[in-house]
Amino acid sequence: MIATVVGSYPKVPNKPRPARLRLAINKFDRGDMTLEELDRVADEVTIEVLQEQVEAGLDFVTDGQIRWEDEQTYLARNLEGVSINGLIRWFDTNMYYRQPVIEEPLAWTKPSTVRDYTFATEHSSKPVKAVLTGPYTMARLSVDRHYNSVEALAGAFAEALNREAKALQDAGATFIQFNEPAILQAKDDYTTFVASCARVVDGLSAETGLYLYFGDVEGIYPQVLDLPFDLIGLDFVMGAKNEGLLHRTPFTKKLGLGIIDARNTRLEQPAAIAERIKTLGAGIDPDNIHVSPSAGLEFLPREVAQEKLRLLAEGVRQAEGVLV
Amino acid sequence: MTTGLLTTTVGSFPKPPYLQKARNAFASGKLSREELSELEQQATREVIALQEEIGLDILVDGEMARGDMVVFFAEHFAGMEVGGLVRSYGNRYYHKPVVKGPVRWQEPITVDLWRYAQSLTDKPVKGMLTGPYTMVEWSFLEGYDDFRQAVLEMARAVNYEALELDRAGAPFIQIDEPALSTRMEDIDLAIEAMAIATEGLTAKTATHICYGDFVSAYPRFLDMPVKQFDLEMANSSHDLVELLKTEGFPEDKEIAWGVVDVHSHEIESVDDVVAEIKRGLEVLPPERLYIDPDCGLKTRTWDESADKLRVIMEGVRKVRAELGIE
Ligand SMILES: [Zn+2]
């Protein structure tokens, strides 16, 4: 059984620890810091964040997406044909992202995340997964002034992200994950989603994952089991119906169990976590279960995020003791 | 006195740079509470003077003492704490509040500054509160197992503050629920909470909900127990206006029709504003149609805010003249 995260990790700690990245970006914005210096701070914070995940007891970590301004901009800004617009609320969270505007045909010209991935693997004692926002979510959260069709735009994003994933794979990534919260808010569009999934993983030999959060898969389950990913992660916090769905139709892929609330500071206890794993993972080979928070951790203060991960890892170890 | 198309604003105004600086200095212990309060009053005077000069009918104090609309009340309610840093966007962070235990009102929070603002003008000044649903939804929830119970107890705390404003003489109390916009499925709970929050008030009540899917929540959202809906209309779907035109809008309620986009730097033209007001007039008579920007102005600069309000006023004057309204 694997204790892991969905993607992001809080970028700055609370007092008395200094908010180094925040201060560095402020300095950079004022012209008091060079890009090289800012990059060095971001690297150091990435190392801290990797260490915190390992200290918490995780088996599989990420770079924390420390450099990401938000889950759209970081991937969109290096693509041709895109400009970055004003702030808009990210789903029903209290966090905002800048909306990509698609002005011309999308074109991938250079990797956005490969250097981050390589740096993270070099500085982590645990395996690192590569995490990207999926093509459908990228398309849904953009303003489309060129394609005039979600289907065409999602296809274009899938093409671009497929190039990104291949670059990650060439750099040694053995697990590449796509986060697709948007489809849970637009299940009518499932056909478009399926097409973009097929295109984004086309030709990949690395293991692949798909994380669906901020809701349940009612209406698209068990169909999602036919999607071309090795692992599918589900949100059992905001997706209360997922439990019943799994009960009715057994899960046939590796399962991502998002059972820790990534959006609330209330702490879950290891015994209860172990109990949830036992219930939800019944009938699935423990090696095929990845236990995680329900979504990325950026909605939480840093210290709470780490404490949640520590409790999560403890719960996973307890569950292993029982299931083995 | 005009008898229609009264003008107002949603609530917040941009903080003058000196006040922003002073708030930072206060946060790092370099400025006393008294010194900060004095600057908050100075900024309030400027906000009132600006609205008077432009000619608005129903004024606000501009919320010069407030940073985040939830944090401000969380600092004063028992059972709430200001939590750790959470990113809001880009390199912006805020201390997200935590509901820790039973939420209780303790002391007046907004009354002093409202009273001060009202003392500066003969025009009515609105009392402005954050709604109970938004207070809970935009906080971490640790002290309650049940979200609904937390919202309803929060509603009581908000009601106490509203009653204080009411007793102090606020003619107009607006209780905003922006968090509802992304969770219209919770409209029943929000309505139940608003009924508690507005209980016993003699003031006219209003609520502002930004950018919500009112079409899918129609007609249920009309049951929100307030006199006035302050709605973003400049960018709203054609559908909502059509729906209100064909299906109607309660005769005892009013709309404050947001006619300019506060999230854009560009200043709308007077013609745009006039067209938008006329769209409103297809739904409501001028006595029940108020005109305002579509959201709080705090993300705009002082000059942009003033320009947007001037355009609104000019558009309103044009339409009033056409309609023969004084
Ligand atoms: Zn608003």
Side-chain angles (χ1 to χ4, degrees), chain B residues 10 69 138 174 176-178 181 208-211 230-232 262-263 293-297:
Chain B
V10 172
M69 65 185 290
W138 284 356
Q174 183 175 317
D176 292 344
E177 289 288 19
S181 63
H208 168 70
I209 304 164
C210 0
Y211 314 105
D230 187 349
L231 302 177
E232 174 268 339
V262 305
H263 294 103
D294 68 3
C295 198
L297 289 162

Coordinates of all heavy atoms in Angstrom, one line a residue, chain B residues 10 69 138 174 176-178 181 208-211 230-232 262-263 293-297, ligand 1:
Chain B
V10 N -21.9 48.3 -4.0 CA -22.1 47.0 -3.3 C -21.5 47.0 -1.9 O -22.0 46.3 -1.1 CB -21.5 45.9 -4.2 CG1 -21.4 44.6 -3.5 CG2 -22.3 45.8 -5.5
M69 N -13.4 39.8 4.0 CA -14.7 40.0 4.6 C -15.1 39.0 5.6 O -16.0 39.2 6.4 CB -15.8 40.1 3.4 CG -15.9 38.8 2.6 SD -17.0 39.0 1.2 CE -18.6 39.2 2.0
W138 N -16.4 29.8 3.9 CA -15.1 30.3 3.6 C -14.1 30.2 4.8 O -13.1 30.8 4.8 CB -15.2 31.7 3.0 CG -15.6 31.7 1.6 CD1 -15.9 30.6 0.8 CD2 -15.9 32.8 0.7 NE1 -16.3 31.0 -0.4 CE2 -16.3 32.3 -0.5 CE3 -15.8 34.2 0.9 CZ2 -16.6 33.2 -1.6 CZ3 -16.1 35.0 -0.1 CH2 -16.5 34.5 -1.4
Q174 N -27.3 45.3 4.6 CA -27.0 44.4 3.5 C -26.2 43.2 4.0 O -25.2 43.5 4.7 CB -26.3 45.1 2.4 CG -26.0 44.3 1.2 CD -25.3 45.1 0.1 OE1 -25.7 46.2 -0.2 NE2 -24.3 44.5 -0.5
D176 N -24.2 40.0 2.8 CA -23.8 39.4 1.6 C -23.5 37.9 1.7 O -22.9 37.5 2.7 CB -22.5 40.2 1.1 CG -22.8 41.6 0.7 OD1 -24.0 41.9 0.5 OD2 -21.9 42.4 0.7
E177 N -23.8 37.2 0.6 CA -23.5 35.8 0.6 C -22.8 35.4 -0.7 O -23.3 34.5 -1.5 CB -24.9 35.0 0.7 CG -25.5 35.0 2.0 CD -24.8 34.2 3.1 OE1 -23.6 33.8 2.9 OE2 -25.4 33.9 4.1
P178 N -21.6 35.9 -1.0 CA -20.9 35.6 -2.2 C -20.6 34.1 -2.3 O -20.5 33.5 -3.4 CB -19.7 36.4 -2.2 CG -19.5 36.8 -0.7 CD -20.9 36.9 -0.2
S181 N -22.6 31.6 -4.5 CA -22.7 31.6 -6.0 C -22.1 30.3 -6.6 O -22.6 29.9 -7.6 CB -21.9 32.8 -6.5 OG -20.5 32.7 -6.1
H208 N -26.2 40.6 -1.4 CA -25.4 40.6 -2.6 C -24.8 39.2 -2.8 O -24.2 38.7 -1.9 CB -24.3 41.7 -2.6 CG -23.3 41.5 -3.7 ND1 -23.6 41.8 -5.0 CD2 -22.0 41.1 -3.7 CE1 -22.6 41.6 -5.8 NE2 -21.6 41.2 -5.0
I209 N -25.1 38.6 -3.9 CA -24.5 37.3 -4.3 C -23.9 37.5 -5.6 O -24.6 37.8 -6.6 CB -25.6 36.2 -4.4 CG1 -26.4 36.2 -3.1 CG2 -25.0 34.9 -4.7 CD1 -27.8 35.4 -3.2
C210 N -22.6 37.3 -5.7 CA -22.0 37.6 -7.1 C -22.0 36.4 -8.0 O -21.8 35.3 -7.6 CB -20.6 38.0 -7.0 SG -19.8 38.2 -5.4
Y211 N -22.3 36.6 -9.2 CA -22.0 35.7 -10.3 C -22.6 34.3 -10.0 O -22.0 33.3 -10.3 CB -20.5 35.6 -10.6 CG -19.8 36.9 -10.6 CD1 -19.0 37.4 -9.6 CD2 -20.1 37.8 -11.7 CE1 -18.4 38.6 -9.7 CE2 -19.5 39.0 -11.8 CZ -18.6 39.4 -10.7 OH -18.1 40.7 -10.8
D230 N -29.1 42.4 -4.7 CA -28.1 43.1 -5.4 C -27.3 42.2 -6.3 O -26.6 41.3 -5.8 CB -27.1 43.7 -4.3 CG -26.1 44.7 -4.9 OD1 -26.0 44.7 -6.1 OD2 -25.5 45.4 -4.1
L231 N -27.6 42.3 -7.6 CA -27.1 41.3 -8.5 C -26.2 41.8 -9.6 O -26.4 43.0 -10.1 CB -28.3 40.6 -9.2 CG -29.3 39.9 -8.3 CD1 -30.5 39.3 -9.1 CD2 -28.7 38.8 -7.5
E232 N -25.3 41.0 -10.0 CA -24.4 41.4 -11.1 C -25.1 41.1 -12.4 O -25.5 40.0 -12.7 CB -23.1 40.4 -10.9 CG -22.1 40.5 -12.0 CD -22.4 39.5 -13.1 OE1 -23.1 38.5 -12.9 OE2 -21.9 39.8 -14.2
V262 N -16.8 45.4 -12.2 CA -15.7 45.9 -11.4 C -14.4 45.1 -11.5 O -13.4 45.5 -11.0 CB -16.1 45.8 -9.9 CG1 -17.4 46.5 -9.6 CG2 -16.1 44.4 -9.4
H263 N -14.4 44.0 -12.3 CA -13.2 43.2 -12.4 C -12.4 43.7 -13.7 O -11.4 43.1 -14.0 CB -13.5 41.7 -12.4 CG -14.0 41.3 -11.1 ND1 -15.4 41.1 -10.9 CD2 -13.4 41.1 -9.9 CE1 -15.5 40.7 -9.6 NE2 -14.4 40.8 -9.0
P293 N -22.6 49.3 -9.3 CA -21.6 48.4 -9.9 C -21.9 47.0 -9.6 O -22.7 46.7 -8.7 CB -20.3 48.8 -9.3 CG -20.6 50.1 -8.5 CD -22.0 50.1 -8.2
D294 N -21.3 46.0 -10.3 CA -21.7 44.6 -10.1 C -21.1 43.9 -8.9 O -21.5 42.8 -8.6 CB -21.6 43.8 -11.4 CG -20.1 43.6 -11.8 OD1 -19.2 44.0 -11.0 OD2 -19.9 43.0 -12.9
C295 N -20.1 44.5 -8.3 CA -19.5 43.9 -7.1 C -18.8 45.0 -6.3 O -18.8 46.1 -6.7 CB -18.6 42.8 -7.6 SG -18.2 41.6 -6.3
G296 N -18.2 44.6 -5.2 CA -17.4 45.5 -4.4 C -16.2 46.1 -5.2 O -15.7 45.5 -6.1
L297 N -15.9 47.4 -4.9 CA -14.9 48.1 -5.7 C -13.5 47.9 -5.3 O -12.6 48.5 -5.8 CB -15.3 49.6 -5.8 CG -16.5 50.0 -6.5 CD1 -17.0 51.4 -6.1 CD2 -16.2 50.0 -8.0
Ligands
ZN1 ZN -19.7 40.5 -5.5

